Amino acid sequence: VTPSGGRLYVAFPPLPALLMLPFVAVAGPGFNDARFGLGLGAGNAALVHLLVRRLGAPAPDRPGVPLGRWAAVAVAAVFALGTVHASAAPIGRVWFTAHVVTVACLLLYLLECVGRGRPLVAGLALALAALTRPTVALGGLFWLLLAWRAAGPGPGLRHRPGRRAARLARFA
């Protein structure tokens, strides 16, 4: 909270604080947000593993990336231990916790985009990410790209959005 001109302002979007509210209600004001970030960071590594496995599986609209189980484990380990995520997750300050929450929401968004492709679920994950870092709303472009690709080439493609993109736009 930042005081200015007799008013109080919140500098960061609310989702990380909202996610921690139940823990604060149980543990009280002594709740350790570093543990929250560390647990969520470990969950993010699991989501990366799931994303790599999902990208490796063939689907009707894509051949899949030929990665095995151990490659997915290796990618998740590199993500968990070899990126800035490893240092941001256990710090527990508002900026770093927001980073870890944003990554979790974006991983859920990507999992849905390359999975079942339900607009409501993907849109919800992206909206939650935007409640942590508003600039990630541009991730909706990824959904549009997938919808365009799924629509396939054709003469009317320039004049009509893909069905998935239209459903996402209605939800947003």
Side-chain angles (χ1 to χ4, degrees):
V1 178
T2 306
S4 177
R7 291 186 168 187
L8 297 175
Y9 295 93
V10 177
F12 296 97
L15 185 63
L18 293 174
L19 291 177
M20 287 189 276
L21 273 178
F23 300 104
V24 173
V26 171
F31 173 70
N32 187 345
D33 58 342
R35 288 185 184 168
F36 175 82
L38 195 58
L40 191 57
N44 286 348
L47 290 174
V48 166
H49 180 267
L50 286 173
L51 181 62
V52 172
R53 294 291 290 165
R54 188 164 288 170
L55 287 170
D61 60 342
R62 63 176 172 15
V65 180
L67 293 173
R69 177 177 294 153
W70 290 109
V73 168
V75 170
V78 167
F79 169 80
L81 303 172
T83 66
V84 70
H85 200 70
S87 60
I91 291 177
R93 308 226 172 171
V94 67
W95 179 265
F96 299 107
T97 302
H99 175 74
V100 175
V101 171
T102 302
V103 169
C105 293
L106 288 176
L107 286 169
L108 291 171
Y109 169 67
L110 291 173
L111 277 166
E112 188 58 35
C113 283
V114 299
R116 294 182 62 190
R118 296 169 293 189
L120 184 64
V121 176
L124 179 62
L126 188 60
L128 289 173
L131 284 174
T132 305
R133 296 262 199 263
T135 55
V136 301
L138 293 172
L141 296 175
F142 181 72
W143 183 264
L144 291 174
L145 177 66
L146 286 177
W148 179 73
R149 191 173 133 220
L157 187 58
R158 291 185 188 170
H159 303 292
R160 62 173 171 81
R163 286 191 335 214
R164 287 181 170 181
R167 288 186 293 192
L168 180 65
R170 281 195 304 264
F171 174 70

